[in-house]
């Protein structure tokens, strides 16, 4: 198994990024519950034949869809060790928790947070954003809200984020019972950053209407175009208005590791909470999300529970309080910290930062290649590692949607789509440390071929 998966990683370039799943392969996953044991070798053979070739392909250097990390063999091996230990990191006195606490200390150091800040591994930024909303809610309403609910307070809490924010912010408001209608979507400026003046006006208007502004979610690296909100300006407003300042830095926050990019996140050190993923730009295998909260005591008071079977002691295995289960909704938790600890040590912060910087250099290279090609058109500024462009033609939305599907099905490159100013864009998010210039060249070349073939086909259909 180890040989096969290392071979897969070594030779991934020779394989298509993605391929359509043949019907018979899909059908082989419609079996009744097995009653008897099967031979491990034959199960592994099924994995090699039916599973390995048909994943989404984000380990492949040609994968540029959504925002997916590439993973590393170091992370993979650490994950194997973690599975062997089968540690449950909900709590108790065990060294795996010290590994997690070590990573928490590194994260505090990276973002310039105090020793009293708390941190927690979670599935991903969606969960981290939810935890941040819940802690901010406790900050505004007090811990009694945990028993009495929001309605009892009679307050109408309002949150703010930009039109470029990820949908998980609205989802967090929904799941927290505050309601996604209580999230004001603030327009963006020409750089796709939150419009600061519009944000101030929205807060002022809500206050005068008797509502309670409690939470601003700025984004460091928007998912559509990679914009970074003016974090210093947002921090200033949050401080003045006494509103929680959260940063959704799902992929962008780790730009702190890259010397030339870090200054663009100025203001992040003033955040009340930061959500980000080690599994995106950090190249740690899925899943490894993280939430950092400046006020660790408040974070603890938002989730800690006095259940008798979770009683803490000063000696024995039940020592070592507070436990991670006091900082989020999960009681049983895997050892996500181990693959992160391995990754950070094996590569070092500088090299991880270099890989992040390289993806932004490649994005500029892609931007320049688009600008050199008259048939292609850039659709948004390239702030980080995300490039939105399209093939120029009539019926551009339909043609470009087809170009993306053709690219994905060809196995050459796998961008995804988004909508920019009402136009369908081919969106390339370069996240994988394996991606190089040749992958960018292949993307451009194939997009040109598929684009002109769609245009020709349309012209032929018209003549007929
Ligand atoms: C990916 C992403 C998320 C969601 O993170 P998950 O780890 O997929 O839950 C949230 N916000 C932004 C800006 C993202 O890029």
């Amino acid at each position: 198994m180890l040989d096969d998966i290392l071979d897969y990683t070594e030779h991934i370039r020779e394989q298509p990024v993605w391929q359509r799943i043949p019907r018979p392969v899909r059908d082989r996953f419609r079996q009744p519950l097995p009653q008897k044991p099967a031979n491990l070798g034959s199960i592994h053979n099924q994995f090699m034949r039916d599973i390995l070739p048909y994943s989404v392909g984000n380990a492949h250097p040609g994968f540029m869809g959504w925002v997916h990390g590439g993973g590393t063999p170091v992370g993979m091996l650490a994950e194997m060790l973690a599975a062997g230990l089968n540690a449950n990191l909900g709590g108790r006195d065990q060294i795996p928790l010290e590994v997690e606490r070590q990573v928490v200390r590194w994260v505090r150091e990276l973002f310039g947070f105090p020793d009293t800040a708390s941190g927690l591994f979670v599935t991903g930024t969606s969960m981290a954003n939810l935890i941040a909303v819940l802690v901010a809610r406790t900050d505004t309403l007090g811990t009694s809200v945990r028993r009495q609910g929001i309605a009892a307070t009679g307050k109408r809490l309002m949150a703010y984020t930009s039109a470029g924010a990820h949908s998980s912010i609205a989802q967090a408001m929904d799941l927290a019972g505050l309601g996604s209608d209580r999230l004001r979507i603030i327009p963006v400026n020409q750089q796709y950053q939150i419009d600061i003046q519009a944000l101030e006006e929205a807060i002022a208007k809500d206050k005068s209407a008797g509502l309670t502004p409690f939470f601003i979610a700025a984004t460091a690296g928007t998912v559509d175009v990679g914009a970074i909100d003016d974090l210093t300006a947002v921090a200033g407003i949050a401080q003045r208005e006494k509103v929680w300042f959260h940063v959704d830095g799902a992929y962008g926050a780790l730009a702190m590791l890259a010397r030339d990019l870090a200054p663009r996140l100025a203001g992040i050190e003033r955040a009340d909470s930061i959500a980000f993923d080690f599994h995106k730009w950090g190249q740690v295998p899925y899943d490894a999300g993280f939430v950092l909260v400046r006020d660790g005591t408040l974070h603890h008071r938002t989730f800690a529970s006095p259940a008798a079977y979770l009683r803490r002691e000063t000696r024995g295995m039940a020592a070592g309080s507070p436990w991670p289960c006091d900082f989020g909704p999960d009681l049983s938790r895997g050892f996500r910290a181990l693959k992160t600890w391995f990754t950070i040590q094996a590569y070092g912060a500088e090299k991880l930062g270099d890989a992040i910087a390289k993806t932004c250099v490649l994005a500029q290279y892609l931007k320049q290649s688009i600008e050199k090609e008259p048939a292609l058109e850039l659709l948004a500024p390239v702030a980080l590692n995300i490039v939105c462009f399209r093939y120029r033609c009539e019926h551009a939305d339909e043609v470009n949607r087809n170009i993306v599907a053709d690219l994905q099905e060809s196995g050459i490159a796998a961008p995804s789509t988004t909508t920019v100013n009402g136009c369908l864009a081919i969106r390339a998010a370069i996240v994988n440390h394996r991606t190089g210039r040749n992958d960018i060249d292949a993307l451009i070349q194939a997009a040109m071929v598929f684009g002109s073939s769609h245009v020709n086909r349309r012209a032929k259909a018209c003549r007929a």
Side-chain angles (χ1 to χ4, degrees):
M1 287 182 194
L2 208 45
D3 276 345
D4 281 345
I5 201 71
L6 287 169
D7 284 349
Y8 163 79
T9 310
E10 187 176 351
H11 299 291
I12 195 158
R13 243 171 217 295
E14 298 145 37
Q15 301 301 318
V17 183
W18 179 82
Q19 48 189 318
R20 282 167 70 173
I21 303 160
R23 190 71 219 217
V25 173
R26 211 183 281 277
D27 287 346
R28 282 200 281 273
F29 294 88
R30 308 277 193 276
Q31 306 296 328
L33 179 69
Q35 300 295 337
K36 300 280 182 215
N39 174 278
L40 184 58
S42 86
I43 304 170
H44 179 55
N45 288 340
Q46 285 177 49
F47 172 83
M48 294 305 291
R49 185 193 60 196
D50 295 340
I51 299 176
L52 188 82
Y54 303 109
S55 75
V56 83
N58 48 300
H60 194 289
F63 186 93
M64 301 169 199
W66 301 273
V67 180
H68 279 34
T72 69
V74 167
M76 180 196 85
L77 293 169
E79 192 75 317
M80 181 185 77
L81 302 182
L85 268 185
N86 195 23
N88 176 351
L89 274 79
R92 293 153 290 271
D93 197 19
Q94 51 172 328
I95 211 69
L97 286 189
E98 292 302 336
V99 177
E100 181 154 345
R101 288 174 187 140
Q102 170 68 87
V103 178
V104 172
R105 286 186 196 101
W106 287 339
V107 171
R108 279 189 205 130
E109 183 184 331
L110 183 65
F111 291 106
F113 269 47
D115 291 349
T116 44
S118 49
L120 186 76
F121 272 96
V122 290
T123 40
T125 292
S126 303
M127 178 58 87
N129 285 336
L130 171 61
I131 289 174
V133 165
L134 290 169
V135 180
R137 173 216 59 178
T138 309
D139 188 37
T140 305
L141 302 177
T143 48
S144 58
V145 71
R146 293 181 60 192
R147 297 183 308 278
Q148 297 166 356
I150 294 150
T153 69
K155 291 212 168 121
R156 285 177 296 163
L157 267 48
M158 298 302 299
Y160 307 81
T161 198
S162 88
H166 191 265
S167 56
S168 58
I169 303 288
Q171 190 199 43
M173 290 292 289
D174 160 5
L175 295 178
L178 295 160
S180 53
D181 284 354
R182 301 255 160 239
L183 177 67
R184 295 252 186 259
I185 306 295
I186 308 298
V188 292
N189 63 21
Q190 301 239 301
Q191 266 61 56
Y192 295 83
Q193 301 164 305
I194 191 165
D195 181 327
I196 294 297
Q197 201 185 333
L199 172 64
E200 284 180 311
E201 284 167 10
I203 292 174
K205 203 167 148 215
D206 285 344
K207 277 195 166 168
S208 63
L211 305 173
T212 306
F214 86 109
F215 186 81
I216 307 173
T219 308
T222 61
V223 73
D224 51 355
V225 302
I228 303 169
D229 286 338
D230 182 341
L231 302 180
T232 300
V234 176
I237 294 174
Q239 199 167 5
R240 202 174 59 236
E241 302 289 344
K242 300 196 171 41
V243 172
W244 190 271
F245 171 35
H246 174 69
V247 175
D248 176 350
Y251 79 85
L254 284 182
M256 289 299 282
L257 291 167
R259 199 169 303 132
D260 294 345
L261 296 172
R264 297 177 48 199
L265 298 180
I268 199 168
E269 74 287 348
R270 293 169 66 186
D272 291 303
S273 53
I274 304 174
F276 71 95
D277 287 323
F278 282 107
H279 58 225
K280 289 177 173 173
W281 251 350
Q283 313 295 342
V284 172
Y286 282 86
D287 49 36
F290 198 92
V291 62
L292 180 68
V293 179
R294 176 176 303 278
D295 184 344
T297 307
L298 179 68
H299 186 184
H300 184 258
R301 292 205 328 236
T302 301
F303 291 99
S305 134
Y309 48 84
L310 295 176
R311 192 199 319 274
R312 312 304 153 80
E313 307 292 350
T314 51
R315 46 185 290 252
M317 281 164 65
S321 189
W323 293 352
C325 65
D326 299 329
F327 293 90
D330 291 322
L331 177 53
S332 293
R333 306 168 66 244
F335 198 179
R336 297 182 182 104
L338 190 68
K339 59 193 172 184
T340 309
W341 181 79
F342 260 83
T343 301
I344 293 173
Q345 287 201 102
Y347 300 103
E350 267 178 38
K351 201 163 172 185
L352 291 171
D354 289 348
I356 288 168
K358 187 185 101 175
T359 63
C360 295
V361 171
L362 285 172
Q364 290 301 325
Y365 175 68
L366 174 54
K367 173 183 177 237
Q368 285 155 14
S369 310
I370 291 161
E371 285 168 344
K372 270 189 225 142
E373 187 51 72
L376 300 177
E377 163 182 26
L378 200 67
L379 289 180
V382 181
L384 280 175
N385 61 328
I386 296 182
V387 183
C388 292
F389 66 103
R390 68 174 175 177
Y391 191 83
R392 287 182 208 264
C393 57
E394 278 180 49
H395 308 284
D397 282 4
E398 192 194 325
V399 170
N400 281 282
R401 188 178 293 118
N402 279 310
I403 293 174
V404 169
D406 287 344
L407 285 166
Q408 292 173 354
E409 289 177 0
S410 73
I412 297 168
S416 56
T417 63
T418 190
T419 307
V420 179
N421 288 330
C423 300
L424 185 122
I426 303 176
R427 174 179 163 288
I430 306 160
V431 185
N432 191 334
H433 59 96
R434 299 184 181 97
T435 304
R437 275 184 175 233
N438 48 336
D439 300 298
I440 304 294
D441 294 340
L443 167 71
I444 291 278
Q445 214 170 9
M448 294 290 294
V449 169
F450 292 131
S452 79
S453 107
H454 276 289
V455 168
N456 289 339
R457 217 175 307 157
R458 275 193 156 270
K460 242 183 240 159
C462 283
R463 279 199 298 277

